[in-house]
Amino acid sequence: KDLRRETGVALSVIKDDYKLALYLSYARAKAFEGYPSKRIDASALRDVKADYGKHAIHTFGQWLEQKSGLLHCWKWKPLVVAKDLMKEGIKGRALGEAMKKQLIWRYENPRGTKEDLLASWALKK
């Protein structure tokens, strides 16, 4: 769930540029290819050898596009709209928090339905 949540948050920022981000990550790993004993700094791939880094980036790209359910998550509409939450008495800052929690839940459960979401919220009350 953490990987899905973090990926969803990142995708909400980079949107359709996710392929460019993967390519740049791959290029960064490839730049270290000639230095198999050297490790990449933490800002790039967190202490991963370059050849493993390229494989990891490729594998991540495949997971993202084929299995994650997160592709195009930046275009998702809310399962529960703000108007419905306001009918339940949720307003102001609490409304914004509820909308944010809904989005995080969707990143963690990309194939979840409105009923799944409402059931999980009911369990937390």
Side-chain angles (χ1 to χ4, degrees), residues 105-118:
W105 182 89
R106 292 200 62 199
Y107 292 153
E108 294 172 349
N109 304 278
R111 292 171 183 83
T113 64
K114 181 178 180 177
E115 291 75 24
D116 297 334
L117 171 65
L118 293 173

Side-chain angles (χ1 to χ4, degrees), residues 8-23:
V9 169
L11 286 172
S12 71
V13 174
I14 60 177
K15 301 178 178 159
D16 284 318
D17 290 331
Y18 77 91
K19 285 187 179 183
L20 176 61
L22 284 172
Y23 177 77

Side-chain angles (χ1 to χ4, degrees), residues 29-38 50:
K30 190 167 178 58
F32 285 89
E33 199 170 61
Y35 305 98
S37 63
K38 204 169 189 174

Side-chain angles (χ1 to χ4, degrees), residues 28-29 32 38-42 44-50 53:
R28 171 78 173 169
F32 285 89
K38 204 169 189 174
R39 296 194 180 260
I40 298 173
D41 63 303
L45 293 173
R46 296 197 182 232
D47 206 29
V48 177
K49 289 187 178 178

Side-chain angles (χ1 to χ4, degrees), residues 13-119:
V13 174
I14 60 177
K15 301 178 178 159
D16 284 318
D17 290 331
Y18 77 91
K19 285 187 179 183
L20 176 61
L22 284 172
Y23 177 77
L24 290 172
S25 297
Y26 182 82
R28 171 78 173 169
K30 190 167 178 58
F32 285 89
E33 199 170 61
Y35 305 98
S37 63
K38 204 169 189 174
R39 296 194 180 260
I40 298 173
D41 63 303
S43 65
L45 293 173
R46 296 197 182 232
D47 206 29
V48 177
K49 289 187 178 178
D51 57 340
Y52 177 78
K54 289 189 318 184
H55 175 73
I57 291 164
H58 177 73
T59 302
F60 177 75
Q62 286 182 321
W63 172 81
L64 174 63
E65 292 185 335
Q66 298 169 10
K67 297 181 181 176
S68 73
L70 295 169
L71 203 55
H72 304 292
C73 65
W74 56 92
K75 296 179 182 178
W76 289 348
K77 304 284 187 227
L79 293 174
V80 179
V81 294
K83 189 175 184 178
D84 292 339
L85 293 173
M86 289 173 24
K87 287 179 186 174
E88 297 295 321
I90 301 171
K91 296 184 182 348
R93 186 173 281 176
L95 178 61
E97 282 298 312
M99 296 302 287
K100 187 186 296 185
K101 286 179 182 177
Q102 175 183 184
L103 189 56
I104 296 299
W105 182 89
R106 292 200 62 199
Y107 292 153
E108 294 172 349
N109 304 278
R111 292 171 183 83
T113 64
K114 181 178 180 177
E115 291 75 24
D116 297 334
L117 171 65
L118 293 173

